Amino acid sequence: MKWRKSSHSTSNGENCVELARITNGVATRDSTDPDGPKHAFNVAEMAALFEAIRQGDYDL
């Protein structure tokens, strides 16, 4: 599995999420804990998340 970190991530390694393609979806993990838990999302779940982000549902 090839993990990718956003180009917007800081070089100090804090608060970074990595993504990897999996069959029918995407896996995520904390880049500071590569052996820790991983979470899988199917294509529909990721699309819904990205749409909610675009609409500002997660603006802080």
Side-chain angles (χ1 to χ4, degrees):
M1 186 176 316
K2 182 178 179 183
W3 292 95
R4 296 182 59 183
K5 185 166 45 170
S6 169
S7 60
H8 295 282
S9 295
T10 60
S11 60
N12 62 8
E14 294 179 12
N15 301 320
C16 297
V17 174
E18 293 179 318
L19 303 175
R21 287 185 187 189
I22 58 173
T23 303
N24 298 319
V26 176
T28 65
R29 72 178 182 184
D30 178 348
S31 65
T32 63
D33 187 13
D35 294 322
K38 290 139 183 85
H39 305 281
F41 302 93
N42 66 38
V43 173
E45 290 167 332
M46 288 304 293
L49 172 63
F50 292 149
E51 183 58 27
I53 291 168
R54 281 188 207 97
Q55 292 179 8
D57 292 351
Y58 296 105
D59 288 351
L60 300 176

